[in-house]
Amino acid sequence: MPLVKTWQLTAGAAVAGLALSVAAVAAAGPWDSGQRKAERDAAASWGLTGGADHGGTARAGSLPQAAPSAPGVLGAVGPGVPRGQAAAGPADGLAARLRPLLADPALGTVRTASVVDTATGQVLYDSGAREAMTPASTVKIATAAAVLAALGPEHRIRTTVVPGATPGQVVLVGGGDPSLTAKKKSPAGSGGSLVALAADAAQALKAAGTDTVTLGYDDSLYTGPVRHPIGVNPNIAPVTALAADEGRPDDSTSGPVDRTDDPAGAAARAFRTLLAERGVKVTAEPVRAKAAAGAQPLAVTQSTPVAGLVERMLTNSDNDIAEALARQTALASGQPASFEGAEKAVTARLAGLGVDMTGSRFADGSGLNRADKVSAGLLTGLLAKAADPQHPELRPVLTGLPVAGFTGTLRARNAGTSPAAGLVRAKTGTLTGVNSLSGTVVDSTGRLLAFAFLTANSPGPEGAEKGLDKLAAAVAAAP
């Protein structure tokens, strides 16, 4: 089978993913395979044979006729430019479009920009692209690339139950799974399940003749402060190695909501209830306990694969997942699973990808910390790496980006009749006075372009977001 170019995969995903399964992706999110199925459908559609339901009129020995197509949801995508060839269309035209838009006062007093052709590496526009700025949540692109480089897209995080140090004790051991849920049906889709874990643990205990235990819980995998430097905030829970449903008290899966002060204890108490429902009595309140080194698990539950966690994080700008993935990067790199250890590990992993790290700092994984610093050039460099056929492990960085007008944090931006609707896929970033947007777009000639716009000192988020959306739409319309 011939090698499929990255621009073809991404362009096809943009069209097929939205034309064939907009509703599925919007409802379930790309981490639940909606986007991945759309990409597979797109790849299959490039063959000459028709679908199984459309070959009835074909003559014997001939190829079936293709099914008639419905009107396209998106504009046509051109043939693109093979990797290594010069990009079509002068960069001057794009610069002429972007300069006046970048001068919009609503974007604040400092604005930087980078636009790159991912197939050729050609810089199509550069305005302060090496200047390190506070990126807000666009730093999640860096977090995503680092954890995928460290662990790969298929890695899963384990939560286990092991025998305790005292007779009749079991210990719930957190591995840092941000998808762990205590609900019978997770509102966020696949992931680790305390319900399944309790069922398996109860079965193992009863098989050993035990129906009464004491319960300990071990959240010692992470070190350092559990509170993000911003303090108590509805945008993020305490960062612990054991938490269910991100410490959320309701069925929400994204967005701000007040969280429990003790996610590990809350998860252990939920697990105690689940054990009791399955015929195992827990005789006292759960207490912190250290699991014995090398203890063999009685039961195990596993997270969504890292690829799915990355996609969920990027689509919904999930801060809890971001901090968990930064710590998983630290663990995979031999660093302490703390804010400081994660910073060292993320920095090292990104440097290993060969991108320009000038002025960069990764004080956290989520972008809530204003001490974070990245350049527009670093962001487009990472997106180009994710599009490179030599780095298939980074592809979820692209597939997880929200789709303008359709999904996640871009659902209401560049929507409706905007020429960028469905074509722009980008990570948003917002702090007071800081607004950013970085992602990809297939332009009118079929090129996959990576862009990043970082701004500071904006007078308000609404005007800044509109200005950024205009810039992204201008890239989409590039000749």
Side-chain angles (χ1 to χ4, degrees), residues 245-271:
D245 301 295
E246 299 183 340
R248 296 174 178 270
D250 54 19
D251 285 338
S252 66
T253 60
S254 63
V257 66
D258 290 337
R259 318 298 182 86
T260 176
D261 291 333
D262 180 19
R269 289 187 290 273
F271 189 68

Side-chain angles (χ1 to χ4, degrees), residues 3-23:
L3 176 67
V4 177
K5 296 286 194 299
T6 301
W7 72 265
Q8 292 173 315
L9 177 63
T10 309
V15 175
L18 292 168
L20 299 177
S21 58
V22 165

Side-chain angles (χ1 to χ4, degrees), residues 213-308:
V213 297
T214 60
L215 177 62
Y217 61 96
D218 186 346
D219 61 348
S220 63
L221 185 64
Y222 291 176
T223 60
V226 299
R227 282 288 182 193
H228 190 281
I230 62 171
V232 177
N233 190 288
N235 287 295
I236 189 168
V239 185
T240 67
L242 177 62
D245 301 295
E246 299 183 340
R248 296 174 178 270
D250 54 19
D251 285 338
S252 66
T253 60
S254 63
V257 66
D258 290 337
R259 318 298 182 86
T260 176
D261 291 333
D262 180 19
R269 289 187 290 273
F271 189 68
R272 175 193 180 187
T273 299
L274 292 168
L275 283 177
E277 291 173 354
R278 285 149 185 81
V280 175
K281 181 180 179 181
V282 180
T283 59
E285 282 293 306
V287 296
R288 275 194 170 83
K290 189 76 169 71
Q296 292 301 305
L298 297 170
V300 177
T301 188
Q302 298 191 90
S303 73
T304 302
V306 164

Side-chain angles (χ1 to χ4, degrees), residues 6 9-10 148 385-389 391-400:
T6 301
L9 177 63
T10 309
L148 288 164
K385 287 290 182 184
D388 189 338
H391 288 281
E393 75 282 2
L394 301 182
R395 205 72 75 244
V397 175
L398 302 185
T399 59

Side-chain angles (χ1 to χ4, degrees), residues 162-192:
V162 302
T166 59
Q169 183 189 52
V170 294
V171 180
L172 176 64
V173 184
D177 174 10
S179 67
L180 187 66
T181 180
K183 294 178 169 57
K184 290 181 172 61
K185 183 177 180 181
S186 171
S190 63

